[in-house]
Amino acid sequence: MFGSGSSTGHDNSGVSPVRFVWPYGGGEVSIFGTFTRWTDLIPMSPMEGCPNVYQVVVSLVPGLHQFKFYVDGQWRVDEQLSFVSGPYGLVNTVVLTKDPPQIIDSETPGRSNMELDDVSVCSTRFDSEVPVCHILVLPWGNEVIQGMSAADLDVSRHRISAFLSTHTAYELLPESGKVIALDVTLPVKRAFHILYEQGIPTAPLWDFCKGQFVGVLAALDFILILRELGTHGSNLTEEELETHTISAWKEGKMHLSRQIDGSGRAYSKHLIHAGPYDSLKDVASKILQNSISTVPILHSSAQDGSFPQLLHLASLYFRHSAGSLPILQQPICSIPLGTWVPKIGEPNRRPFAMLKPNASLGAALSLLVQANVSSIPIVNDNDSLLDVYSRSDITALAKDKAYAQIHLDEISIHQALQLGQDANSSYGFFNGQRCQMCLRTDSLHKVMERLANPGVRRLLIVEAGSKRVEGVISLSDVFRFLLGVA
């Protein structure tokens, strides 16, 4: 057993006293870690005037140390500090430097006491001669990555960038399969049915007259179509969809989006595409910089690029990841990654989009468009996850021509999701296959493994047990972080 300030088994040369603090109360509190060889417990004592705050001072040598707290017979970690998954499960980490870049304690600016739920944190200042848990932090915008050096992050990003730069889009091509393209003269209604029947959310558009691929038809197009028809106060009939070809809709969409040049004429966005010999880094950059979900891989043997072959639709995904990279061992809550539900009193954070199951489909579609998100968690009154409504779910309205029989403001999200359910499947308003989840304590490597599953584009971050929604992480979020794309 080691007491406050006792030897930890290291050479005394270069050691520094470090104060460890457990501010969450308890009857008996101890700490142990790599500095005790994970064997002996160091008892912690209540601070004078703050009986719920325990502390101990340990002499440590510079370097990385891991530790856990032992509170009333249970192993605990402090989620307000850096933590990773180690041989003893989740463990806190501390990097002690000879000249610590920052000291983290309850008085450190930027860490509000409001972050500690149901904990009374006293305002007593710690003795400035004894540092409190030196944590190496790395600036990232207005946030930090705890417990990780700039060098480790640079190494991780360099290796990922090098891998993507030395592999080409050609390697993405499957040995066999089909790629579906739609002619721009096809009626929108027929295109709607094709996407639903083929189970695909997007399809490239072919213009025979131009001999070129000219765009992409996506689920968002159908959302905009249904909302536009709904604003005219008419039912969503087959006839209204029948009168619109894809090309007519795309032209109308340009006017709706006010994509007008100086002469007042509508102009078309050029098709974002890639070639089979473009690097995977270039393909990923095109997807991220243009905020799109897929890039057609095209190849033409003609010098002018006419009549190209459509080889593949490339999306962001992980085939495998090197779990040994330092950044991949970090828990996602310690990384500026994804979109999180704002904490009470947290400034300058946009609201997190969530809806109740009885909200109208019209409200969901409006939120998808206005908030520019690809999915919305559906939650109960306690914000616990029930299901998720995504842009691609709109194609379910093609089933039995449901779009011709509904009003967007009269059908609930619950009812709309049931339209896409198999009649023989049980529907308890929670579908584990639809709702891909993770925990805030999961490592980035674990999150990437789940995102590597076919069809998984995002993970909802939920609280263990209650499934209360805490945030969402998408494929594009991870790629932006790993590639350092703002």
Side-chain angles (χ1 to χ4, degrees):
M1 303 288 285
F2 295 99
S4 176
S6 64
S7 171
T8 63
H10 294 298
D11 184 357
N12 288 332
S13 61
V15 299
S16 299
V18 176
R19 188 193 305 271
F20 292 88
V21 177
W22 176 261
Y24 307 107
E28 294 185 0
V29 182
S30 303
I31 188 174
F32 89 144
T34 52
F35 42 83
T36 70
R37 298 185 178 90
W38 295 108
T39 54
D40 299 319
L41 292 172
I42 304 176
M44 304 179 71
S45 304
M47 290 182 62
E48 184 177 354
C50 294
N52 290 325
V53 180
Y54 288 76
Q55 65 173 343
V56 69
V57 177
V58 182
S59 295
L60 299 179
V61 297
L64 173 67
H65 300 275
Q66 297 181 347
F67 60 95
K68 295 187 77 164
F69 296 93
Y70 192 63
V71 183
D72 295 336
Q74 294 185 347
W75 296 113
R76 303 282 297 276
V77 296
D78 187 347
E79 293 189 3
Q80 301 301 316
L81 301 177
S82 173
F83 57 93
V84 297
S85 179
Y88 294 87
L90 290 179
V91 295
N92 284 122
T93 62
V94 55
V95 178
L96 182 63
T97 62
K98 294 181 179 178
D99 183 20
Q102 184 171 342
I103 296 176
I104 303 294
D105 62 23
S106 61
E107 297 295 321
T108 300
R111 179 181 174 185
S112 169
N113 289 344
M114 295 182 66
E115 296 178 1
L116 308 180
D117 297 333
D118 302 323
V119 175
S120 175
V121 179
C122 63
S123 59
T124 302
R125 282 190 174 274
F126 298 128
D127 184 352
S128 60
E129 294 181 0
V130 180
V132 181
C133 236
H134 295 166
I135 304 295
L136 184 64
V137 298
L138 177 69
W140 177 273
N142 295 324
E143 298 177 295
V144 296
I145 301 177
Q146 297 182 349
M148 184 174 184
S149 68
D152 282 343
L153 181 59
D154 286 343
V155 167
S156 298
R157 283 184 168 157
H158 175 75
R159 288 182 59 184
I160 291 171
S161 178
F163 175 86
L164 294 176
S165 297
T166 54
H167 291 75
T168 67
Y170 184 83
E171 298 173 52
L172 298 178
L173 304 185
E175 293 182 3
S176 63
K178 61 180 179 180
V179 182
I180 296 174
L182 303 175
D183 192 283
V184 293
T185 61
L186 195 69
V188 168
K189 183 194 75 171
R190 181 59 186 147
F192 197 6
H193 282 275
I194 291 174
L195 291 192
Y196 170 72
E197 292 165 357
Q198 298 297 325
I200 55 176
T202 60
L205 299 177
W206 173 257
D207 189 322
F208 180 79
C209 296
K210 296 180 179 179
Q212 295 285 352
F213 288 97
V214 294
V216 173
L217 190 71
L220 180 60
D221 287 296
F222 294 111
I223 292 176
L224 296 176
I225 288 172
L226 297 185
R227 291 183 71 231
E228 176 65 14
L229 293 175
T231 58
H232 296 158
S234 59
N235 294 333
L236 304 178
T237 63
E238 291 185 74
E239 289 76 13
E240 287 174 305
L241 292 181
E242 187 73 64
T243 58
H244 283 76
T245 62
I246 296 175
S247 59
W249 157 246
K250 286 295 186 179
E251 183 177 352
K253 180 184 176 182
M254 286 189 290
H255 288 285
L256 287 174
S257 303
R258 294 187 174 90
Q259 295 171 330
I260 307 297
D261 66 13
S263 62
R265 295 174 299 176
Y267 66 90
S268 300
K269 284 186 176 180
H270 67 280
L271 174 66
I272 306 299
H273 66 278
Y277 303 111
D278 289 350
S279 73
L280 293 183
K281 184 177 181 180
D282 289 340
V283 174
S285 296
K286 287 183 178 182
I287 292 176
L288 296 176
Q289 292 170 2
N290 293 280
S291 298
I292 54 181
S293 60
T294 59
V295 167
I297 306 299
L298 305 179
H299 176 68
S300 175
S301 56
Q303 291 184 349
D304 60 0
S306 60
F307 292 95
Q309 290 179 293
L310 175 62
L311 302 179
H312 187 57
L313 287 179
S315 301
L316 297 177
Y317 80 103
F318 300 108
R319 178 172 295 175
H320 56 77
S321 58
S324 61
L325 294 179
I327 186 59
L328 301 189
Q329 304 309 313
Q330 293 290 318
I332 57 174
C333 63
S334 69
I335 304 173
L337 186 64
T339 303
W340 295 76
V341 176
K343 296 179 181 178
I344 297 176
E346 190 172 21
N348 303 322
R349 288 285 296 274
R350 68 175 185 175
F352 188 88
M354 292 188 288
L355 288 174
K356 300 296 191 294
N358 59 354
S360 71
L361 178 58
L365 300 186
S366 296
L367 191 55
L368 285 171
V369 174
Q370 294 168 4
N372 192 29
V373 294
S374 59
S375 64
I376 303 171
I378 310 303
V379 299
N380 62 15
D381 292 337
N382 297 320
D383 289 341
S384 295
L385 183 64
L386 298 174
D387 210 313
V388 61
Y389 193 87
S390 303
R391 288 180 183 177
S392 57
D393 288 320
I394 194 67
T395 58
L397 295 184
K399 183 179 181 180
D400 300 325
K401 302 179 182 179
Y403 57 80
Q405 308 166 29
I406 67 168
H407 294 270
L408 296 181
D409 294 328
E410 295 179 3
I411 182 175
S412 69
I413 300 174
H414 184 180
Q415 294 168 326
L417 285 171
Q418 283 184 313
L419 293 175
Q421 297 293 316
D422 190 319
N424 297 321
S425 64
S426 59
Y427 187 76
F429 206 60
F430 180 84
N431 188 322
Q433 296 301 315
R434 289 173 48 82
C435 300
Q436 299 291 333
M437 299 172 288
C438 66
L439 303 178
R440 69 196 318 269
T441 54
D442 286 343
S443 68
L444 180 55
H445 182 242
K446 187 173 183 179
V447 166
M448 290 172 63
E449 285 184 329
R450 292 182 180 177
L451 288 172
N453 293 325
V456 178
R457 308 293 304 171
R458 70 197 65 82
L459 297 179
L460 289 164
I461 309 165
V462 299
E463 184 180 65
S466 69
K467 290 189 172 66
R468 182 174 61 86
V469 175
E470 296 186 316
V472 62
I473 290 182
S474 68
L475 272 167
S476 58
D477 291 332
V478 177
F479 268 88
R480 286 184 186 279
F481 173 71
L482 294 178
L483 294 177
V485 177

